[in-house]
Amino acid sequence: MSAFHKSLIIVLLFAGLSAISAQSIVTQPPLNTFVMRSDLVGKHPRLYFTQADIATIKQRAQGSCNWFYKKAKSDFGGYVGQRTPDAPGTWKDYLFGFWGQFSMCMFYLVEGDTSYANTARSWALFYAGRSDWLTDDLIPMEITSGMALTYDILYDYLTPTDRTTLRTALKRSIDTIQPRFFVGQYWTNDYQNNHMHNRIHGLAHASFAIYGDDPAINVQTAADLAVGCYKQVVTWLPDDGSTHEGPGYWDYGYHWVVRAGKLISQVTGIDPTAGAAHFANDHLYRLYMTTPGWNNTFTVGDASEGAPSNAESWMPGIALTHDAAADSALRRLMKDQSGGFYQQTMWSVLWFDDSLQQQSYASLPLYRFWPDLEMFSIRSSWDDTATGFVFKCGPPGGNHMQQLCNGHYINVAHDHPDQNHFLLFSNGRMLAQDDGYPTDNKLTRSHNTIVIDTMGQQREGGAWYQPFDYNLTGHLDDVMLSGSSACAAGNASKLYANASRFVRHIAFIEGGYVVSIDDLRGTGSHAFDWRLHKKGTWTNGQAGEFIVTDTLNMRLDIRLLEPAAVSIQSSFLPVDPLVITSNPCLSAKVNASSTRISALIVPQHNFQPALTGAMLQASGGAAMQVQGPGFTDVFAAKIDSARLTAGDMATDATHALVRRASSQISLAMITRGTFLTIGGKSLLRSTLPANFAWRTAAGAVTVEAEPSYKAAGGTDTIGIGGLTAGNRYGIVVDGNLFMNAIADTAGSISFALDLKQRSLISVTPAGSVNPGISNAALGFRLRSLPGCIEVAIANGLLQPTILAAYAPNGRLLKRWVLFGNTHYFLPTKELLPGVCLLRIESNGRSGSLRIIRITR
């Protein structure tokens, strides 16, 4: 089915939904909401650049942006001189109408070859001479945008008759689409869906292009509407940069949002996105929803697996934030996934920031959390063979949009009934899969979550997931992310008509495996159906163990450790008779009035030794012990309000994770807790419930502390244990000296901290003497790295080491106080890029002045 006809079907399907809407949200903004820059009135080109910019564009196309220019030439240059199809109606209307048309105009600007200009002109006039494509749909708005760009860029090349013809056609398109904003259609009732973005994009291009060029054609109200609606888009987009329609629709349509913002900024001189956090984060949504290796996508919502495309839309966010690490990921896509640069590649010549110094994407955090969708992505490393994991339990449409709509109908057609659903990827393969883009039946049973009595979550079924009641949604109860570990709980209880409780406690532990503990309660007997979807060869292992082999050297090992295997009715479904579009799956059913289903899910490379897992006796909840080469982990989840104990661990937290390596604790995490004790000794404590991640190495301890999920935090007293009793420690909070302290007889220190956001606490031995260094010695190494200064200190003195940074004029910029023999990476975000003078001293002894160039 063609994209044109598919879009027409979508319109017809949604037309019946408009009656549900209580009201149309779109209103005509005040007259003169749009005001063109005075220097652009009567001038062309003006939409994205002026005549004065063309020399720079040529230079970029032939220099720093030549990769993109050559890619666009490779994709579209061969169409030069070709006619359009005899009639509109195929996907090539995107090509002839917009992608190729804009590219031909740019080829002409750069090379001066009139064959490109003649091709763009002929395509624009082809559509201008017809009216059979003028409908309220996606493709007509693309054609409109293409004609507007050709009119603007080739204005001086076109004849007066050509200009008149194109102006008339653009006004016809404006007159077709402008009234549709006010009739309460599926796309007019919220500002966060791709159809609204597409219409604003087309309306803005058409009205801005011909504005003021003919006194008989007044497009002021159309231009006002485009700007007014775009301002609403900015208001509706969530701060975290996510999009509820999923990464597939980010690829497909987010370029409309990016481009319309750049267009309005250029033509009005006022950036409508200024100060909106969304636009500093949007590129990170797509980056973190791309799997390790950059060749696949974590698919939620209507999206299919495959490498990302239209990564040009990353570029404005990268330029805005000077994000050199994200830029390196973009360059990786240019190298290995060049096929994804096709539709919109030419825009890179305008948007690519060629001024960034190189910084590896390996410097990025391993995780990203999107509070609007209540979803996170985390990975074991940035290596191509790494393991990645995504978990979500949040409202269709996202919290922000649901709250803005205030109970009125909103369009969440591309969302899925998938709360408490997860995805798992490892060694280049998707090991727990999504159902992609079903256009017939969106069902919970197609996802890696729970089905109860064959029934899924509220509002499932049908081609489009809507309308949706915000009061019936799922939410995360807790989440904590640290390094390559995550602990979370998703509460989807409201989504099931025939059960009173479904809370999934889940952990991704040091990038190696997943633990899932499902707390399920109902009244009477129910069939709780645990599902995991994966293409491959399914086999049985030991009792309660299931294996799916993807390739000869890659498999997924699933062990259901609770309830007992005799209570589980398992089956492999190559095809689900209720939804044939879903992937094959493991279905594990438990018949009970209430139950816990606890699973250990292990990706295995090259048949590496399997981890062993077992349920531990626990009070107040459930606990699983997992053993692997050199480590033993315990993950515990609180099920009721009692104190949680498992083995020698006790806590009041909702989750606790403890890793022992060589019998020594190396990692501990808790969520929403005020204490964690191991063997009766305090490891973590606080006055207010909080989230903590505790790690130790070489006698030093680092702690990440933050308020509990959705809690405000505040003044707290933090206790950190696992230290050597009687030893003196230096405490650094977020890179700044906080205090010195001596560990008490239990090996613990405590201090007050204003805990309103995440803090990184470093607890480092101070005053310890390295036998190989005399007490008078001060050895050090300084090196500037992107975003930080590396400091290696060999300090035998019983005094702290002071590192001071000065500007070339001698002004003090920053001081750090460091302790002992250690290795630090100090952030340089408070230092201006450029030359910086560093001096290091201890007890009056100074090292020589070092000149370092600070980079970001």
Side-chain angles (χ1 to χ4, degrees), residues 664-821:
Q664 300 297 313
I665 299 171
S666 60
L667 165 67
M669 290 177 67
I670 62 173
T671 61
R672 204 176 296 274
T674 64
F675 74 89
L676 173 67
T677 63
I678 307 294
K681 291 186 176 182
S682 176
L683 193 68
L684 289 165
R685 66 179 184 274
S686 61
T687 306
L688 300 174
N691 295 346
F692 292 97
W694 179 104
R695 299 175 189 272
T696 186
V701 169
T702 59
V703 173
E704 293 167 279
E706 66 184 16
S708 302
Y709 182 54
K710 294 184 179 178
T715 302
D716 208 337
T717 298
I718 306 297
I720 298 174
L723 307 173
T724 302
N727 270 20
R728 183 180 176 213
Y729 291 88
I731 302 170
V732 175
V733 178
D734 297 330
N736 297 304
L737 176 65
F738 191 76
M739 63 178 291
N740 296 323
I742 297 175
D744 62 21
T745 55
S748 182
I749 58 174
S750 62
F751 51 92
L753 184 66
D754 188 7
L755 192 61
K756 292 182 180 177
Q757 58 188 7
R758 177 171 289 207
S759 288
L760 176 61
I761 304 164
S762 299
V763 183
T764 308
S768 56
V769 178
N770 185 327
I773 305 175
S774 72
N775 283 358
L778 174 61
F780 64 93
R781 181 177 74 250
L782 299 175
R783 184 169 57 148
S784 179
L785 298 175
C788 68
I789 303 169
E790 180 189 25
V791 185
I793 301 173
N795 184 2
L797 303 172
L798 300 180
Q799 300 293 325
T801 302
I802 298 173
L803 177 66
Y806 299 89
N809 64 4
R811 181 169 62 92
L812 178 66
L813 299 174
K814 183 76 175 177
R815 292 175 77 250
W816 294 272
V817 182
L818 314 175
F819 294 87
N821 307 312

Side-chain angles (χ1 to χ4, degrees), residues 26-85:
V26 177
T27 58
Q28 178 66 36
L31 195 64
N32 297 320
T33 295
F34 168 79
V35 177
M36 181 176 285
R37 280 170 41 190
S38 59
D39 61 314
L40 298 183
V41 175
K43 301 292 182 61
H44 291 280
R46 65 187 178 200
L47 294 187
Y48 291 93
F49 50 84
T50 67
Q51 188 70 33
D53 299 319
I54 293 176
T56 300
I57 291 172
K58 289 181 181 180
Q59 185 180 44
R60 285 170 59 84
Q62 296 165 351
S64 60
C65 298
N66 187 241
W67 186 92
F68 302 107
Y69 186 78
K70 289 171 63 177
K71 183 69 174 62
K73 282 292 294 288
S74 173
D75 291 331
F76 299 123
Y79 288 97
V80 65
Q82 287 193 22
R83 289 183 54 196
T84 55

Side-chain angles (χ1 to χ4, degrees), residues 34 131 434 634:
F34 168 79
S131 59
D434 187 62
V634 173

Side-chain angles (χ1 to χ4, degrees), residues 521-564:
R521 300 178 190 177
T523 56
S525 182
H526 297 280
F528 298 102
D529 187 358
W530 189 97
R531 291 188 160 230
L532 189 144
H533 294 78
K534 174 75 185 93
K535 292 177 182 176
T537 303
W538 285 91
T539 57
N540 281 21
Q542 301 175 3
E545 182 182 21
F546 311 93
I547 300 164
V548 57
T549 302
D550 189 303
T551 63
L552 290 177
N553 65 349
M554 193 69 226
R555 74 179 197 178
L556 183 66
D557 191 339
I558 306 156
R559 272 165 277 177
L560 298 180
L561 302 179
E562 188 181 27

